[in-house]
Amino acid sequence: MGAEAFISQRASEGVKVLYGADIPASTLQVTATRKDFEGDYTLVVFPLLRFSHTSPAATGEALGEWLKSNCPEIQAYNAVQGFLNLSLSPVYWVRTLQEISADKDFGQLPPTGRRIMVEFSSPNTNKPLHLGHVRNNLLGSSVSDILKAAGNEVIKTTLVNDRGVHICKSRYAWMKRFNGATPESSGKKGDHLVGDCYVEFARMEKEDPSVMDEVHRMLIKWEEGDPEVRDLWSRMNGWVFDGFEQTYRALGISFDRTYYEHDTYLLGKELVQKGLDMGVFVRDDDGSVWCDLTDEGLDRKLLLRSDGTSVYMTQDLGTARRRFEEFSLDSHVYVVGDEQNYHFQVLKKVLSKLGFPWADQIYHLSYGMVELPEGKMKSREGTVVDADDLIEKMYNEAKEASAEPGRLSGVAEKDRDKLFRTIGLGALKYFILKVDPKKKMLFNPKESIDFNGNTGPFIQYTHARIRSILRKAEDLGLDASVDGGVVLSAKETRLVKLLAACPSKVAEAASEFSPAVIANYSYDIAKEFNQYYHDTPVLKEEDKCLLQARLTLISTVASVLRRMMGLLGIELPERM
């Protein structure tokens, strides 16, 4: 039981004794005490006044005195207006360390019974993944793992946008300008070759805008099943899928289910017809189909073009229905950039008009764009930061940063290449995930590799330092254990308090869909440990019980760091 739950439970008992009222412990508000007040946790007293019929100060004093007298774990209290600040005893924190160190699943919350689907990545097959996709993938994967740690059943999914006007652009350019080039003949990853085609089409369109007419004709032929167009589409998509898979593997990204737009857009067309039959959609004179949302403060939304071809919204309608029906979802999270905020507002409204009761269970995890010191990226102009190049750059940055004399003295030469990749990816992932998803961010590779400060490598190095101490202890035949009578120092108690907050941090990160909560919590632990280790001997401690307790404490710090950083997809090395 966490400290908040423990205090709530005992306070509930106190209210029963003092005022004869049955108050469910879950309704009491307990939070960590603010730093400018004395205490560990604070109980909000105001809701109890209707039972005590006294002032907030008197109620706080009475309950505080009862808790101190009847709970040996509570050693002191102070009542400030409507808030009761409670200080827990050293005995409580020793017991807490014992419980955390013995719990192999610490940080995993009880099952909620909820099934959540998280859609992320969702690239289109006319360009390689770039820095913007990297943030999307890292957010989606981490949020999925956090929701799972919070007790939910999670299905990680992606929708590949493999059809449409934009896809036809790269196919058309390949036919006209690339002389039958293949990944093998060009020496390029397939997604890079197709991306070159997309950039080339932008040049072609500037030279002759009428090429768009040819592209639209190609899309119509595709929807009609033209064998030649379909064969080219399938072949070039295959090149891109192979390229994507290499990038996903390098980033540690995986999916439980992959959907393809070419399989789902017809489902959307069925729903468009249903909306017409229901009278909630209208067909204009040119044959296009629209949903009028002006009475809800939005706009008219195109659902089918006049030539009968579908748009993004069409397939999103069909895909949403299929997923909720297939998996009986309690919630569906779309990880998509904030430039699509309007799209998801409309999606929910249109699904609601179609009569789907689960329309309000859709959540758009809207995140800010990633920018570079030199400005925004533009894929049509070929000015993106390619994900593969970025991964390689992070490897080189890690290699360069690790070149400092003595930095890798404990790492065998054969293991260094893997370590550089681990550090580079850890730096990339942490730098991106420590930022609140809602905020735009500026990515600086060199800054992310710093071994000091709020970075991935700093936390990785902290973990490696702890593991080194524990290996030395093992060589000396020392065991880690906690005797109930040991007395923890103030610094040790602060570390235990931080560790004890793990479950609540997981719950907070899940409720806010924010890996930044986990990232910054991990940094707080690493920073607190380094301050502790700077001032406190571990292996040199002569008191055996205290030495064993300290080994248990730092081992638990390492374990919680691994668990938390694992939720960010970051590996913590044993040696650095």
Side-chain angles (χ1 to χ4, degrees):
M1 183 186 295
E4 295 96 330
F6 167 77
I7 290 171
S8 296
Q9 183 62 48
R10 298 314 308 268
S12 174
E13 295 169 12
V15 171
K16 173 70 172 176
V17 172
L18 292 171
Y19 308 118
D22 288 309
I23 302 293
S26 59
T27 64
L28 295 174
Q29 301 174 52
V30 179
T31 59
T33 301
R34 286 168 43 184
K35 292 181 179 179
D36 46 340
F37 288 94
E38 184 180 347
D40 297 315
Y41 293 91
T42 298
L43 172 70
V44 180
V45 173
F46 292 110
L48 305 178
L49 303 186
R50 61 196 178 104
F51 306 110
S52 68
H53 304 294
T54 60
S55 69
T59 304
E61 283 288 341
L63 184 56
E65 186 58 42
W66 186 92
L67 288 168
K68 182 182 175 184
S69 300
N70 292 275
C71 308
E73 298 87 352
I74 294 175
Q75 70 173 11
Y77 72 92
N78 64 88
V80 181
Q81 297 178 347
F83 302 94
L84 176 60
N85 302 317
L86 300 165
S87 297
L88 296 171
S89 69
V91 172
Y92 177 85
W93 294 117
V94 169
R95 190 177 71 200
T96 298
L97 176 57
Q98 291 173 323
E99 291 173 354
I100 295 174
S101 62
D103 186 353
K104 301 304 180 187
D105 295 319
F106 185 66
Q108 174 63 51
L109 305 188
T112 64
R114 288 171 53 79
R115 180 178 292 163
I116 302 174
M117 179 172 281
V118 182
E119 180 196 295
F120 60 100
S121 193
S122 302
N124 61 53
T125 55
N126 61 5
K127 55 190 173 184
L129 302 177
H130 56 61
L131 178 55
H133 291 118
V134 170
R135 188 178 198 192
N136 181 295
N137 277 279
L138 298 184
L139 270 175
S141 184
S142 181
V143 164
S144 298
D145 289 344
I146 289 168
L147 288 171
K148 188 174 181 181
N152 302 290
E153 179 187 349
V154 178
I155 303 163
K156 296 187 294 183
T157 189
T158 188
L159 171 67
V160 181
N161 297 298
D162 62 348
R163 61 159 296 284
V165 170
H166 57 299
I167 303 299
C168 291
K169 289 178 180 179
S170 54
R171 278 54 177 167
Y172 182 81
W174 182 86
M175 291 171 55
K176 297 297 182 182
R177 299 265 175 106
F178 282 77
N179 301 313
T182 66
E184 292 74 22
S185 68
S186 65
K188 291 188 173 184
K189 275 182 73 198
D191 51 339
H192 287 248
L193 174 58
V194 175
D196 290 345
C197 296
Y198 187 57
V199 172
E200 182 60 31
F201 181 84
R203 296 193 190 100
M204 295 171 67
E205 189 178 11
K206 284 182 179 178
E207 296 166 7
D208 178 11
S210 69
V211 295
M212 276 303 300
D213 296 332
E214 294 296 320
V215 166
H216 280 290
R217 278 192 280 273
M218 180 183 282
L219 178 59
I220 292 171
K221 285 183 178 181
W222 184 91
E223 293 207 4
E224 291 173 346
D226 182 280
E228 186 177 347
V229 172
R230 285 284 180 130
D231 178 68
L232 175 61
W233 166 81
S234 179
R235 192 153 32 109
M236 292 181 71
N237 275 350
W239 299 344
V240 176
F241 295 151
D242 289 343
F244 283 172
E245 184 53 38
Q246 292 178 50
T247 308
Y248 286 140
R249 195 161 50 244
L251 286 171
I253 301 298
S254 64
F255 304 99
D256 301 312
R257 182 72 181 269
T258 298
Y259 292 85
Y260 299 92
E261 187 179 346
H262 76 268
D263 285 332
T264 62
Y265 82 103
L266 290 176
L267 298 174
K269 284 190 168 184
E270 291 175 12
L271 288 182
V272 171
Q273 185 57 54
K274 176 184 176 182
L276 286 169
D277 295 341
M278 293 171 61
V280 296
F281 301 159
V282 296
R283 190 185 297 276
D284 281 5
D285 293 340
D286 65 357
S288 59
V289 178
W290 301 75
C291 180
D292 189 351
L293 298 171
T294 53
D295 60 340
E296 303 198 42
L298 299 173
D299 209 337
R300 293 181 82 231
K301 181 61 183 178
L302 178 68
L303 301 176
L304 281 182
R305 298 187 185 92
S306 58
D307 60 11
T309 57
S310 60
V311 294
Y312 276 129
M313 183 62 68
T314 321
Q315 60 88 11
D316 274 351
L317 294 172
T319 306
R321 182 177 71 169
R322 171 182 277 187
R323 290 170 176 175
F324 272 92
E325 290 178 352
E326 279 185 0
F327 293 99
S328 300
L329 300 175
D330 293 292
S331 181
H332 190 319
V333 179
Y334 290 87
V335 184
V336 183
D338 57 12
E339 77 279 7
Q340 293 296 327
N341 287 350
Y342 183 78
H343 175 87
F344 286 98
Q345 278 184 279
V346 171
L347 176 62
K348 292 178 70 170
K349 294 291 186 184
V350 174
L351 287 168
S352 182
K353 281 184 175 290
L354 287 168
F356 294 116
W358 40 258
D360 284 337
Q361 291 159 239
I362 286 174
Y363 178 80
H364 174 207
L365 175 47
S366 172
Y367 64 90
M369 293 295 98
V370 185
E371 295 183 6
L372 299 161
E374 52 268 31
K376 294 183 179 180
M377 302 179 293
K378 298 178 182 178
S379 58
R380 281 173 292 184
E381 297 175 14
T383 59
V384 301
V385 175
D386 179 80
D388 299 316
D389 292 341
L390 179 61
I391 292 169
E392 195 60 29
K393 180 175 178 59
M394 296 307 298
Y395 167 86
N396 290 324
E397 291 282 357
K399 186 175 183 179
E400 182 181 332
S402 302
E404 182 181 324
R407 174 73 75 183
L408 299 181
S409 57
V411 182
E413 194 68 38
K414 63 183 178 63
D415 297 326
R416 294 190 177 190
D417 186 75
K418 181 179 185 299
L419 180 60
F420 296 146
R421 298 239 170 246
T422 300
I423 295 172
L425 276 176
L428 170 66
K429 292 180 178 183
Y430 188 85
F431 198 89
I432 286 176
L433 293 174
K434 75 176 181 179
V435 178
D436 186 311
K438 302 180 192 69
K439 296 180 179 177
K440 286 189 170 115
M441 66 170 296
L442 188 71
F443 180 71
N444 187 321
K446 279 195 178 299
E447 188 180 330
S448 72
I449 286 287
D450 194 347
F451 282 87
N452 297 298
N454 192 1
T455 66
F458 170 72
I459 298 172
Q460 289 174 318
Y461 185 72
T462 298
H463 177 267
R465 168 182 271 182
I466 295 172
R467 294 300 301 155
S468 176
I469 298 168
L470 294 172
R471 282 193 298 273
K472 290 176 183 176
E474 189 175 341
D475 291 342
L476 293 170
L478 300 173
D479 297 323
S481 63
V482 184
D483 183 276
V486 74
V487 177
L488 299 178
S489 69
K491 289 181 183 293
E492 288 161 344
T493 299
R494 280 201 297 272
L495 264 175
V496 177
K497 284 174 66 176
L498 261 178
L499 297 175
C502 176
S504 64
K505 290 295 181 181
V506 170
E508 180 186 347
S511 67
E512 296 182 6
F513 301 97
S514 178
V517 172
I518 300 297
N520 290 291
Y521 169 61
S522 300
Y523 172 63
D524 287 342
I525 293 174
K527 182 173 63 174
E528 190 69 38
F529 164 78
N530 279 284
Q531 291 172 353
Y532 165 71
Y533 185 64
H534 180 269
D535 300 329
T536 308
V538 176
L539 296 180
K540 293 180 180 179
E541 176 56 51
E542 295 180 358
D543 183 306
K544 184 179 179 182
C545 286
L546 188 53
L547 169 59
Q548 290 176 319
R550 286 178 178 172
L551 289 175
T552 301
L553 175 60
I554 68 171
S555 176
T556 306
V557 167
S559 177
V560 172
L561 283 178
R562 282 196 302 276
R563 172 75 172 153
M564 293 299 96
M565 294 293 273
L567 296 180
L568 307 181
I570 297 173
E571 181 183 348
L572 298 187
E574 291 286 304
R575 290 178 169 84
M576 279 178 72

